Amino acid sequence: MAITFKSVDFIYQAHTPFENLSLKDINLTIPDGSYTAIIGHTGSGKSTLIQHVNGLLKPTTGEVVVDDQTITGTTKNKELVHLRQHVGIVFQFPESQLFAESVIEDVKFGPINFGVTNEEAQKRAESALQKVKMPQEFWDKSPFELSGGQMRRVAIAGILATNPKILILDEPTAGLDPQGRREMMELFAELHQKEKLTILLVTHQMDDVANFADNVIVMDRGSVAKIGTPTEVFSDTEWLINHQLGLPSAANFAQKLISHGVQFKKIPLDMGELVDQIINLEGKGNRHE
Amino acid sequence: MDNIINVKNLTYKYANGGEKKALDNVSLSIKRGTWTSIVGHNGSGKSTLARSIDGLMTFSDGAITVDGITLSDDTVWDIRKRIGMIFQNPDNQFVGATVEDDVAFGLENLGVETAQMHSIVADVLEKVRMTDFKERQPDQLSGGQKQRVAIAGVLASKPKIIILDEATSMLDPQGRHEIIELINEIHRENNLTVLSITHDVSEAMLSDHVVVINDGKVVETGAPKDVFKDNEMLKITGLEQPFSAQLFDDLKQKGVFLPEELKMNEKGLEEWLWQSLLKA
Amino acid sequence: MNKILFGRYVPGNSFIHKMDPRAKLVLSLLYIIAVFMSNSWLAYGTSFLIAIIIIGSSSIAPKFFWDGVKPLIGVILLTMIIQVFFGVGGQVYWHWGILSITSNGLLNAIYIAIRFILIILVSTVLTLSTSPLEISGAIESLFMPLKKLHFPVYEMALMLSIALRFVPTLIDETEKILNAQRSRGANFSSGSIMTRLKKLVSILIPLFESAFSRAEELATAMEARGYQGGEGRSKYRVLNYTKNDILGTIFMIIATMSVLLLRNWS
């Protein structure tokens, strides 16, 4: 399912004079089946942007089109039920949404809300729990007995059980340790490849952007500052450094070599590319000698 | 230099957990004025260790000495006066209604006189660069700003030790960077002993000393560049390899010659590479 | 969500803003009592004048006062209607069963409406010009004599201030959980009362869970920062009764006395 924003403005009814979460003239298209990373500072509008995709927030002006559904400021919540079935959002620290007596019941909550039969919901819940690699012995336990990392897996299973076509992840690895983070990111990559899910990843981890995304949106003060492939976006190293957004660690290291006069064909995004280019440069040199 | 913290044979059993121990016969000592990182994956017991030192958890066996005082029910408040703790969640340690009220909270507990309190609060807010925000409420601050307020609160009561219990893990990279810089500054200027609980290897690389904890046991201790060289240990404990070590190993595997000491020295690796690449 | 009256504090630098919150609290109470005892046009006229003076010296935009009165218009009207139909005494204009419209009933209805509005106006000045922090400080100070009866005044004040500090945090949290469950297809605005109640569980349990874990962490943090109960604590904020407050107090005492003197004047 493709997502299109057409001249979207959003004005947040701020409680305080300090809050500024509005969106300004957003125009963009996220292709079906893509893995899109959304980066930008805290408060740049990333979270506001993603909440427009399933109509939790509605544009003040302009429209959001998801597949064949158009969301405008006047769209009724009833009309959004169909859309929400296909757009799953994993919020930050999603484990805080768990409530049911058992893991399996919690995962069934979504499908049952969308009117699926109990048997079908059970089937979907089991398959979702398998996808997040949650061992069966935990299914009947209370979600509150699990470790933080396990709770997060259950919460994600709760979204997957609604069979979304678009999966939105808002900093899904925040607070996890390195291994937990790695496993989580591998899970999403697998869902992207095997289940053909369109993925929107809100993140501060530039290495994750470099390693997984094929499309990057950079938000800055409520507007889209840049949009393109990771190579395109990260090539403008100066802009990113000036905006304190950081670079993937391989690109960051390459940037330092570049500043000493080393010439790279293109900015390396991950360790593999960095190593290959260094070897290449060395090889060339050896031939000259 | 003497040891400001001594932990001897510390064992902590979960209240309900039967035989499983969060800490299993842990011994370590921390030198006065150093920055030590305690690293390990989530659930390794590193937080339990930090909280035990501040008397926030009652352990089953062992002894803890802080600044010459042995921790017991009678001495716990004396020890807490010497330690300032910064916790993980910026929101759940913000007690006051505004920034200045929060910074004053610890001083109020110590019974510091009002006028003196106002001057200390102004002072420490200046130090953490939050003076302009002193009347703000916590919901009007970012996570990084709240952690800076927490640091100011700790500095106000002039502790000898600061314990960071994953204080940066909920912040965005910019906030994390700011907090680490700030701690570094405070550490240098005040000769404070810093004990940082983290699972971020790049953060731990900045410290003087590293203690790796896994399943409640101390696995390795030493200087970061010695400890994080050990690929096998990193794998077992689920920690990440530092960037320089990754690059070093990958290049070496492809047959590039590199002096061994560059593995844990990113700056040195950078120098070596640009020079050899430009020469080539 | 943002219509909550708590913390609807409008910062300012007016005479009223600068007054000691204890004085404001006590004097507002005094005013309310005087208004309740009023029973004549002259007394109401004077009370009205006092309210205007108070509002004037608070420098708060009139819009805020309208916002304060607006939600209560229904209640005021209902009370008036009851007075009009059930009030007895004086000249009878209309009569049906137990219902009647009398001159006393009409008069009382108007008095009640005026009372309501005056009280709302003055208490709005109090809440708009006094931060929650000041209010909790004032309550602590005013309750201090209860300390002798072993009433935990410090603890109560700290509790109040922490509760106020966490209101915005918990509002955010609620909104977040609401959004998460909505994204899982929960619809809180349709279905029978029973199904709606059931769905409410999916909000309440996470909210309680989070509130408890916050409470636990906060308690640990407070302990780490040396909190051992109220005894022996000093105070960062000390309330000062200044010349301004003496002036305000004298004015309010004279003003309310005149209202009380005029209360039966006809």
Side-chain angles (χ1 to χ4, degrees), chain C residues 139-174:
Chain C
I139 292 175
E140 178 180 5
S141 176
L142 293 170
F143 275 50
M144 214 40 108
L146 290 179
K147 194 102 201 28
K148 291 209 176 69
L149 304 172
H150 299 288
F151 185 78
V153 179
Y154 290 120
E155 284 76 5
M156 186 202 66
L158 186 67
M159 237 162 65
L160 190 63
S161 118
I162 289 175
L164 290 171
R165 172 252 170 279
F166 273 95
V167 168
T169 312
L170 290 179
I171 289 175
D172 267 7
E173 185 92 18
T174 313

Side-chain angles (χ1 to χ4, degrees), chain A residues 11-264:
Chain A
I11 298 162
Y12 192 76
Q13 301 286 332
H15 322 211
T16 69
F18 306 99
E19 244 162 14
N20 181 20
L21 289 168
S22 51
L23 293 182
K24 275 168 264 160
D25 194 30
I26 306 286
N27 284 291
L28 55 86
T29 299
I30 295 167
D32 184 29
S34 77
Y35 193 134
T36 300
I38 304 173
I39 61 178
H41 286 295
T42 307
S44 59
K46 297 176 306 238
S47 294
T48 314
L49 184 78
I50 56 168
Q51 289 187 35
H52 276 79
V53 180
N54 79 344
L56 282 175
L57 295 176
K58 290 167 206 156
T60 309
T61 57
E63 58 181 54
V64 178
V65 184
V66 181
D67 203 18
D68 54 359
Q69 171 116 28
T70 305
I71 310 166
T72 66
T74 55
T75 307
K76 298 245 164 30
N77 279 335
K78 243 183 224 161
E79 302 165 39
L80 294 169
V81 177
H82 173 73
L83 175 70
R84 285 190 187 155
Q85 275 190 61
H86 299 297
V87 183
I89 302 191
V90 175
F91 285 93
Q92 249 181 72
F93 300 102
E95 53 275 23
S96 70
Q97 73 193 38
L98 300 178
F99 73 98
E101 283 163 48
S102 67
V103 165
I104 190 97
E105 286 304 315
D106 208 289
V107 178
K108 280 163 73 180
F109 181 67
I112 286 177
N113 282 330
F114 288 121
V116 162
T117 62
N118 191 42
E119 284 142 46
E120 172 67 13
Q122 178 78 23
K123 234 168 56 196
R124 284 199 199 175
E126 286 173 6
S127 128
L129 284 166
Q130 273 156 0
K131 278 180 205 161
V132 301
K133 305 191 175 61
M134 197 67 202
Q136 198 164 353
E137 69 215 65
F138 290 105
W139 295 3
D140 291 322
K141 283 200 174 167
S142 158
F144 299 107
E145 285 172 28
L146 307 179
S147 76
Q150 290 169 327
M151 282 172 83
R152 188 164 301 183
R153 284 171 183 278
V154 173
I156 291 168
I159 309 293
L160 295 179
T162 63
N163 282 354
K165 304 269 192 316
I166 298 171
L167 185 62
I168 301 177
L169 307 158
D170 191 354
E171 293 187 51
T173 61
L176 297 180
D177 58 19
Q179 195 173 353
R181 214 151 52 207
R182 214 158 32 229
E183 287 169 7
M184 196 62 80
M185 291 311 295
E186 277 161 14
L187 166 70
F188 300 136
E190 204 179 293
L191 289 168
H192 175 61
Q193 281 150 13
K194 281 198 195 148
E195 318 264 325
K196 304 279 172 253
L197 293 186
T198 304
I199 289 189
L200 265 67
L201 170 74
V202 174
T203 186
H204 290 291
Q205 309 292 329
M206 298 304 156
D207 280 329
D208 287 343
V209 178
N211 289 333
F212 298 102
D214 49 35
N215 188 22
V216 184
I217 297 170
V218 187
M219 295 292 294
D220 187 33
R221 276 167 287 173
S223 304
V224 175
K226 279 179 180 296
I227 188 162
T229 63
T231 309
E232 281 163 8
V233 168
F234 288 126
S235 291
D236 199 351
T237 47
E238 208 172 307
W239 189 90
L240 289 160
I241 292 168
N242 284 340
H243 283 72
Q244 290 168 312
L245 281 169
L247 290 168
S249 30
N252 193 39
F253 190 80
Q255 180 60 32
K256 286 178 189 158
L257 297 182
I258 291 168
S259 75
H260 289 296
V262 177
Q263 288 187 333
F264 281 91

Side-chain angles (χ1 to χ4, degrees), chain C residues 171-229:
Chain C
I171 289 175
D172 267 7
E173 185 92 18
T174 313
E175 219 156 61
K176 207 194 118 184
I177 295 169
L178 208 63
N179 275 340
Q181 308 301 32
R182 268 195 201 130
S183 301
R184 287 210 273 170
N187 184 346
F188 299 98
S189 51
S190 75
S192 70
I193 290 181
M194 264 325 275
T195 54
R196 278 193 218 190
L197 276 178
K198 262 191 201 156
K199 280 176 185 155
L200 213 55
V201 170
S202 72
I203 301 295
L204 290 180
I205 289 184
L207 202 56
F208 281 142
E209 168 67 24
S210 126
F212 280 126
S213 71
R214 277 183 199 283
E216 213 178 310
E217 285 181 34
L218 191 70
T220 309
M222 284 169 66
E223 206 182 324
R225 293 174 73 180
Y227 181 75
Q228 306 178 56

